[in-house]
Amino acid sequence: MEFPILSLMLAVPLIAAIACLFLDAPAARMTALFATLIDLALGVMLWINYDIGGAQWQFQENLQLFAGFEYALGIDGIALMLIMLSVFLMPICILASWDSISKRVGEYMSAFLLMEVLMIGVFAAQDLFLFYIFFEAGLIPMYLIIGVWGGDNRIYASYKFFLYTLLGSVLMLIAMLWMVNEAGTSSIPVLMQYDFPVGAQFWLWLAFFASFAVKMPMWPVHTWLPDAHVQAPTAGSVILAGVLLKLGGYGFIRFSLPMFPDASADLAWLVFGLSMVAVIYTSLVALVQEDMKKLIAYSSVAHMAIVTVGLFAFNVQGLEGAMMVMLGHGLVSGALFLCVGVIYDRLHTREIARYGGLSINMPKYALFFLLFTMASIGLPGTSNFVGEFLALAGIYEVSTFVTLVCTTGIILGAAYMLYLYRRVAFGEQKNADAAAMPDLNAREWAMLAPIAAAVLWMGVYPESFLAPMRQDIASLEARLASVAPHYDSELAVGTPRETAANYVEYDGDKEGAH
């Protein structure tokens, strides 16, 4: 048996989470930081030892538990990239909470470490019910992070977050029970190749969709997200936007598309319709926001809509683009929330009008903020450009109209992000307290610089991130090939005309006429 690195990645933060409950504030902070850095190092080892082009499922662990329940872990390239995103952001979240969280620090760090355990568990689980436990249990620490350490309206936001995400998942559990009864196994790799009856696929797809659409979130079940982001502490927003929203996209890739291909093809119009509305509507709503966090939250809904159209393009470009948008958005939206947190810690307001001219007294901050703003827009050379270009190229093969609408959303994205940056970083300094704010300190540099480096790396050399996923995306496309839609942008090949008709005689000579 291989070294159980995935179990170790679950055990390290779990042990640290328990320890933090019994430690004072400084010791809890150091323990949490140390544990997340160990998990990051283990994640790097995982990536280095991942055999690109090898077996689809690697680092597998299997342990039979009670009543047929199996502790089964293993990853493919898609899960590897999402685990790397999780372990990369976690130490940054701990640093972001270093000074801003002063009450119940041990419990706060414990909640974050538990969140890390559950996120890695979701991506590594290979048993249907083990996945469900990790998937649903992730609600609990996030609910506590918002409800205990959030803003003034935190109770309302935490209840709304919990109820929205829980209600959709009840239907998914019922569907899972039926699937296990039908297929005779709860193994995810086996179920991904199992052909469920076409009539049942429709209902199963809708049950899973109810859960994943809320998690993404898709319009119109997105309304919990702005409230949750606004009330959550900075690090809570980072992990919510960076990783938790990706659970919905991962669910579509792992369950909806490979397990219910016929239903996915039949209901792709629903996904396209909701995604088009989301891209335009949430971009316009973001344009009029006065609260920085709310603006970035609405922008997240628009970006995740690009993910859903890419996934349901049923081709390699769309699937690869959707994954790259998920990874890029995880970095960029997390970084934007950190940028909001940096100035919120100084002035304790998220109101855009209270700032202005920050590039004068905070030039280093303004530079980082500009990089992440441009990355959010999809500037070439940054992470989001690669994903959005691939996703739109994929969907263009299926529907030129959907591509047109989604591209309009990207143009609106440039409008609201540049408008935000202009009001915060440029212009005259109207408020003396904002003008007196100091620039980034060493801790804030340590938070923002690694994300900036990752954003540029992904933009300049995306092959590092695409290579581990390529084989898994190709196998998913092969699974979907039989139900892939007809493209509206395909060239129609006509019948060749008669040879004689293509020639005109001039003085006895024949010349081709075109």
Side-chain angles (χ1 to χ4, degrees):
M1 184 179 172
E2 294 179 352
F3 177 70
I5 188 168
L6 293 173
S7 288
L8 187 60
M9 289 180 76
L10 295 175
V12 169
L14 182 60
I15 293 166
I18 295 167
C20 282
L21 294 173
F22 303 99
L23 296 172
D24 60 6
R29 291 188 184 105
M30 289 305 298
T31 302
L33 182 61
F34 189 57
T36 52
L37 288 172
I38 290 174
D39 246 26
L40 176 58
L42 289 169
V44 172
M45 280 176 55
L46 198 68
W47 194 353
I48 291 169
N49 291 304
Y50 184 82
D51 181 15
I52 296 171
Q56 180 177 6
W57 302 103
Q58 300 180 27
F59 307 102
Q60 286 185 299
E61 302 171 32
N62 285 284
L63 181 64
Q64 287 291 341
L65 299 176
F66 52 89
F69 182 72
E70 191 174 12
Y71 175 78
L73 301 178
I75 58 166
D76 61 356
I78 292 167
L80 170 70
M81 287 293 103
L82 290 167
I83 287 173
M84 284 308 303
L85 177 64
S86 306
V87 297
F88 177 72
L89 288 176
M90 282 307 294
I92 293 168
C93 287
I94 302 300
L95 282 175
S97 312
W98 208 261
D99 293 334
S100 58
I101 301 297
S102 55
K103 66 171 186 178
R104 296 185 176 179
V105 175
E107 289 93 330
Y108 178 87
M109 295 299 171
S110 182
F112 257 91
L113 290 163
L114 183 59
M115 178 74 76
E116 181 170 29
V117 174
L118 299 169
M119 290 186 311
I120 295 170
V122 165
F123 300 131
Q126 290 212 300
D127 181 87
L128 205 57
F129 296 119
L130 187 65
F131 167 84
Y132 186 81
I133 290 167
F134 282 129
F135 188 79
E136 287 308 304
L139 292 176
I140 299 166
M142 196 68 216
Y143 169 76
L144 294 173
I145 288 164
I146 297 170
V148 178
W149 294 276
D152 295 336
N153 205 18
R154 59 186 181 272
I155 303 299
Y156 167 76
S158 58
Y159 271 106
K160 192 172 182 182
F161 161 74
F162 193 84
L163 291 173
Y164 260 76
T165 44
L166 182 68
L167 287 173
S169 300
V170 173
L171 293 172
M172 185 171 76
L173 178 61
I174 296 167
M176 284 179 170
L177 292 168
W178 188 92
M179 288 162 61
V180 171
N181 186 54
E182 167 73 17
T185 178
S186 59
S187 169
I188 291 173
V190 174
L191 290 168
M192 284 172 70
Q193 301 301 322
Y194 187 85
D195 295 318
F196 288 99
V198 175
Q201 281 190 31
F202 176 82
W203 301 106
L204 294 170
W205 190 93
L206 286 176
F208 276 79
F209 182 75
S211 181
F212 298 148
V214 173
K215 274 281 200 294
M216 286 292 287
M218 292 176 71
W219 181 89
V221 287
H222 68 288
T223 55
W224 63 268
L225 185 69
D227 290 319
H229 270 311
V230 167
Q231 298 304 321
T234 299
S237 288
V238 172
I239 217 66
L240 183 58
V243 184
L244 289 186
L245 299 193
K246 312 302 172 280
L247 299 184
Y250 178 75
F252 282 129
I253 290 176
R254 189 62 83 231
F255 297 94
S256 302
L257 292 171
M259 294 184 192
F260 322 124
D262 295 278
S264 295
D266 292 340
L267 292 162
W269 62 269
L270 173 65
V271 175
F272 291 157
L274 295 178
S275 300
M276 285 191 290
V277 173
V279 167
I280 301 298
Y281 168 72
T282 55
S283 296
L284 292 172
V285 172
L287 204 52
V288 297
Q289 293 304 314
E290 297 298 326
D291 183 304
M292 278 189 276
K293 267 195 164 184
K294 226 169 198 177
L295 189 151
I296 300 164
Y298 278 111
S299 80
S300 290
V301 182
H303 279 104
M304 295 312 286
I306 303 290
V307 172
T308 46
V309 293
L311 290 175
F312 283 82
F314 290 4
N315 54 39
V316 168
Q317 297 97 314
L319 293 165
E320 286 186 346
M323 276 304 303
M324 290 297 282
V325 172
M326 284 207 282
L327 297 173
H329 176 263
L331 294 172
V332 172
S333 66
L336 287 169
F337 280 117
L338 287 172
C339 287
V340 174
V342 165
I343 52 177
Y344 180 80
D345 287 346
R346 289 160 169 72
L347 208 58
H348 297 291
T349 178
R350 293 179 302 270
E351 196 180 336
I352 298 168
R354 291 280 282 110
Y355 297 97
L358 293 188
S359 53
I360 297 169
N361 57 308
M362 299 179 73
K364 297 183 184 70
Y365 169 82
L367 183 64
F368 275 118
F369 194 14
L370 179 64
L371 170 65
F372 298 131
T373 299
M374 290 301 174
S376 180
I377 293 167
L379 185 76
T382 61
S383 55
N384 283 23
F385 169 75
V386 180
E388 288 178 1
F389 182 83
L390 277 171
L392 290 171
I395 195 62
Y396 184 73
E397 289 189 20
V398 179
S399 170
T400 47
F401 177 68
V402 175
T403 315
L404 176 69
V405 174
C406 291
T407 310
T408 308
I410 290 173
I411 295 165
L412 288 170
Y416 61 69
M417 287 309 299
L418 290 173
Y419 185 41
L420 167 69
Y421 189 80
R422 186 188 72 76
R423 287 182 290 169
V424 172
F426 296 148
E428 57 181 294
Q429 295 189 310
K430 297 175 185 173
N431 298 303
D433 47 2
M437 294 194 302
D439 209 346
L440 298 177
N441 59 35
R443 177 180 61 84
E444 290 159 346
W445 264 94
M447 283 158 35
L448 295 173
I451 305 185
V455 164
L456 292 172
W457 176 18
M458 193 182 284
V460 174
Y461 193 67
E463 180 64 13
S464 303
F465 304 87
L466 284 168
M469 302 188 290
R470 187 162 284 130
Q471 180 179 316
D472 307 302
I473 285 171
S475 64
L476 177 57
E477 194 222 10
R479 173 82 171 147
L480 296 169
S482 62
V483 296
H486 292 293
Y487 301 152
D488 75 349
S489 55
E490 277 184 318
L491 291 173
V493 180
T495 54
R497 289 179 291 179
E498 289 294 323
T499 309
N502 292 331
Y503 286 86
V504 180
E505 289 191 17
Y506 294 101
D507 299 324
D509 295 324
K510 289 185 176 180
E511 294 184 16
H514 298 284

